[in-house]
Amino acid sequence: MNPNKKWWIDINLETLKKNLELRNFECFIVDKKEDIVPLLEKIIEKGSVVSCGGSMTLFECGVIDFLRNGKFNFLDRYKEGLSGDELGEIYRKSFWADYYIMSSNAITLDGKLINIDGNGNRLAALMFGPKSVIVIVGINKLVLNEQEGINRVRNIASPMNAKRLSKNTPCTSSGKCHDCLSQDCICSHIVVTRRHPVKGRIKIIIVKEELGF
């Protein structure tokens, strides 16, 4: 990595870590995506009930394969052949999980999580339910402030996710948000998590690489 880019990342992540901790989040910083699974092995107790939110980041880091290795009771939303009712049951059971793993659409330098959801199950679990939540984010999700974070989610993350899910929305044609109310809209809920009342319940792993959308 270019030394000037490394300097910029390191100095901003140092600031971000302090701000996250002020908001009752626990923060871990790793150099590369290959560092994530070894860290999760230390955090997650074997035999725990584990679930996850929809996330390309988790696939890119090998987290889904790790959870399927038999050491955990994994509520696998990505299992082939699930019916709509079975997927809904997994969503509901996730609220009683020991660990819930997800990414965040954006994270502000002052320590806020910015997320937009279609169904809202991921954000509901982030706010309340599972005993512990682990949020994995790449350096590309770091933004300066709350407004920049919302703009990033609406005009970068959401159009790409809508395209990935083959949604019939204006953003899949133009590549930018139209603030639509279409039946396929995946932007039903906008949540800013500015702190958590339970210190350490939300653990944030920041990776010095670009991950996900």
Side-chain angles (χ1 to χ4, degrees):
M1 182 185 292
N2 180 282
N4 297 305
K5 186 174 183 179
K6 183 180 184 302
W7 165 81
W8 183 90
I9 290 173
D10 287 342
I11 198 168
N12 279 283
L13 290 187
E14 182 180 343
T15 298
L16 175 58
K17 187 175 190 296
K18 291 177 181 177
N19 288 332
L20 288 170
E21 290 170 349
L22 285 173
R23 297 175 184 274
N24 283 342
F25 304 122
E26 188 174 0
C27 180
F28 303 86
I29 298 173
V30 299
D31 290 325
K32 55 189 185 299
K33 63 184 180 183
E34 289 81 8
D35 296 329
I36 293 174
V37 166
L39 178 56
L40 293 178
E41 287 179 327
K42 296 178 181 178
I43 295 174
I44 304 174
E45 296 181 13
K46 292 180 176 61
S48 297
V49 177
V50 186
S51 188
C52 69
S55 169
M56 293 306 296
T57 293
L58 302 188
F59 280 100
E60 291 178 16
C61 299
V63 172
I64 301 300
D65 289 337
F66 165 68
L67 296 176
R68 287 172 169 167
N69 68 10
K71 296 180 180 178
F72 312 103
N73 179 3
F74 178 38
L75 304 176
D76 190 352
R77 59 175 287 153
Y78 294 111
K79 185 178 179 180
E80 290 187 13
L82 287 176
S83 68
D85 287 342
E86 289 170 329
L87 183 58
E89 184 67 13
I90 287 175
Y91 287 170
R92 287 184 287 274
K93 286 182 177 178
S94 295
F95 291 107
W96 284 269
D98 298 306
Y99 296 90
Y100 189 87
I101 307 177
M102 56 176 282
S103 187
S104 182
N105 298 130
I107 184 168
T108 67
L109 190 59
D110 64 352
K112 300 172 187 173
L113 302 178
I114 314 291
N115 286 285
I116 292 181
D117 254 14
N119 293 322
N121 56 290
R122 178 178 64 116
L123 298 184
L126 171 65
M127 291 184 284
F128 184 83
K131 292 179 182 177
S132 185
V133 177
I134 300 171
V135 181
I136 301 171
V137 292
I139 193 65
N140 52 309
K141 306 291 184 71
L142 181 59
V143 296
L144 191 60
N145 55 48
E146 189 174 320
Q147 187 56 56
E148 186 179 313
I150 292 173
N151 288 336
R152 182 195 185 281
V153 182
R154 300 189 84 164
N155 292 293
I156 298 177
S158 292
M160 286 194 281
N161 275 311
K163 190 72 173 179
R164 174 178 64 88
L165 297 169
S166 300
K167 298 296 186 180
N168 183 21
T169 55
C171 67
T172 60
S173 297
S174 69
K176 62 182 180 181
C177 181
H178 291 257
D179 197 26
C180 78
L181 296 173
S182 68
Q183 289 302 307
D184 271 0
C185 178
I186 64 169
C187 301
S188 302
H189 310 275
I190 302 175
V191 172
V192 178
T193 307
R194 59 180 300 276
R195 70 180 294 273
H196 199 277
V198 181
K199 187 173 184 178
R201 175 183 175 262
I202 298 177
K203 299 166 175 45
I204 300 174
I205 302 174
I206 304 166
V207 188
K208 297 179 185 178
E209 291 182 342
E210 293 194 6
L211 294 170
F213 300 150

